[in-house]
Amino acid sequence: MAHRWTNTLTHADVTPRGAFLNRRQVIAGMAGAGLASAAGSALAQSELEPNSWEEITSYNNYYEFGTRKEDPALYAGSLTTEPWSIEIDGLVDRPGTYDFSAILSELTIEERIYRFRCVEAWSMVVPWNGFELADLLTMAGVQDGAKYVAFETAYRPDEMPGVRYPVLEWPYREGLRLDEALHPLTIMATGIYGKPIPNQNGAPLRLVVPWKYGFKSIKSIVRITLTEAEPPTSWNMANPREYGFYSNVNPEVDHPRWSQATERRIGGGLFAKREPTLMFNGYQQEVAGLYAGMDLSKNF
Ligand code: MTE
């Protein structure tokens, strides 16, 4: 698998952790170049210390492989990720089947250290490797009428033991507004810590939208469709009262069954204090403009 991996940045595996972090913090502060210049945001970014590989790859949500946090690490190995292709269709100039390795050879892989906040109120910091979704959409050529982007995960009953259970309507589906999809912070992750992304984290490519709850970050994507209408999304279909289309991280809008004001940082230990959840997960400076004039308690 490693051969199709373009690692532009890092010696993460050989650099001592301290040196690694310092360099990464600088890079994280510059994520989305020119966007993270505001003092508040820069300060927040400089505090980011990534979770360990072990934490990031053993505590997962990937219901196609079971609903316990340990299930994806135990069972996702059965997913065949090579070869892999992505159908890009709908309102695009160049619809078709895009081979994943061909996509990789065209696009630049960068490292992005992002906070990751699950709707269940736990969080991590993950050093992703990936490319901007905007670059892939440009490859396909977005047409004028497109307003949304819909995503689908692979549906493989033979390889995904969890899809036997009707926990969600399969395949797992997600969606973004086009301007959210084109935002420079929105990436397709293909790696973690400079290594190919493991199956349990969504190999070979998964969405990462750092200012939204983690369930928007759909894994193992096989289809991307540009649409005019807001696409149906799995968690919203399952329970529209609890999971909105937007799902921006917001400490002021609680989930009907629990508070979203604080979060439990994975790896913090049994007695760690809960941390305050940040508006837009700490990316307010960069993304608040996307929602100007919207009532975020209604458009949750
Ligand atoms: N994508 C698919 N296909 N299936 C899933 O069950 N879970 C979501 C999201 N993407 C999920 C998915 C949820 S709820 C979260 S919090 C994140 O993946 C978890 O990502 P991680 O396991 O890499 O931390």
Side-chain angles (χ1 to χ4, degrees), residues 85-102:
S85 60
I86 302 140
E87 195 71 30
I88 306 186
D89 59 8
L91 300 171
V92 289
D93 294 333
R94 291 171 288 281
T97 305
Y98 288 71
D99 181 59
F100 177 60
S101 48

Side-chain angles (χ1 to χ4, degrees), residues 7-278:
N7 186 349
T8 53
L9 258 183
T10 114
H11 297 87
D13 306 327
V14 294
T15 310
R17 189 169 161 85
F20 169 73
L21 288 177
N22 288 336
R23 195 157 54 88
R24 290 323 142 83
Q25 282 160 2
V26 173
I27 293 163
M30 300 189 309
L35 286 162
S37 53
S41 162
L43 184 73
Q45 295 278 11
S46 71
E47 290 161 5
L48 295 183
E49 181 170 335
N51 279 85
S52 69
W53 170 267
E54 182 59 27
E55 287 156 358
I56 297 167
T57 61
S58 65
Y59 186 93
N60 300 100
N61 278 334
Y62 197 165
Y63 280 13
E64 287 88 333
F65 297 99
T67 55
R68 299 174 311 166
K69 296 290 182 272
E70 62 270 35
D71 286 337
L74 288 172
Y75 304 119
S78 56
L79 184 69
T80 311
T81 59
E82 207 173 348
W84 192 270
S85 60
I86 302 140
E87 195 71 30
I88 306 186
D89 59 8
L91 300 171
V92 289
D93 294 333
R94 291 171 288 281
T97 305
Y98 288 71
D99 181 59
F100 177 60
S101 48
I103 291 173
L104 276 190
S105 68
E106 297 276 324
L107 300 178
T108 313
I109 301 292
E110 324 170 30
E111 176 161 78
R112 300 282 181 93
I113 301 179
Y114 285 159
R115 293 168 209 291
F116 187 85
R117 169 61 157 82
C118 179
V119 73
E120 298 164 336
W122 53 264
S123 66
M124 298 196 198
V125 173
V126 184
W128 304 107
N129 310 92
F131 53 84
E132 291 186 11
L133 174 58
D135 292 343
L136 180 60
L137 295 180
T138 301
M139 234 183 200
V142 178
Q143 294 183 345
D144 277 349
K147 296 202 181 79
Y148 293 89
V149 187
F151 304 86
E152 263 179 44
T153 293
Y155 173 72
R156 304 212 190 128
D158 292 347
E159 298 184 352
M160 296 173 151
V163 302
R164 272 180 268 150
Y165 306 94
V167 199
L168 289 170
E169 213 180 291
W170 313 108
Y172 195 99
R173 268 166 270 189
E174 258 310 332
L176 295 173
R177 228 169 52 189
L178 182 61
D179 57 348
E180 298 175 322
L182 295 176
H183 193 282
L185 288 179
T186 302
I187 60 164
M188 285 292 206
T190 56
I192 294 172
Y193 272 115
K195 300 189 178 97
I197 193 165
N199 284 7
Q200 59 266 39
N201 294 87
L205 87 168
R206 60 89 66 84
L207 185 65
V208 176
V209 193
W211 70 94
K212 291 179 179 284
Y213 291 121
F215 69 85
K216 298 295 288 184
S217 295
I218 180 171
K219 297 179 169 180
S220 308
I221 295 166
V222 291
R223 188 168 179 204
I224 299 177
T225 309
L226 279 287
T227 64
E228 209 208 318
E230 184 182 296
T233 58
S234 291
W235 282 102
N236 182 250
M237 287 191 285
N239 194 338
R241 214 175 64 83
E242 298 193 352
Y243 307 102
F245 176 79
Y246 283 95
S247 290
N248 293 317
V249 175
N250 188 337
E252 288 157 23
V253 177
D254 287 338
H255 185 278
R257 290 182 281 132
W258 58 84
S259 164
Q260 294 291 25
T262 63
E263 61 200 52
R264 176 176 64 95
R265 175 78 191 273
I266 299 302
L270 219 48
F271 304 106
K273 255 185 66 189
R274 295 179 70 86
E275 292 177 16
T277 288
L278 303 173

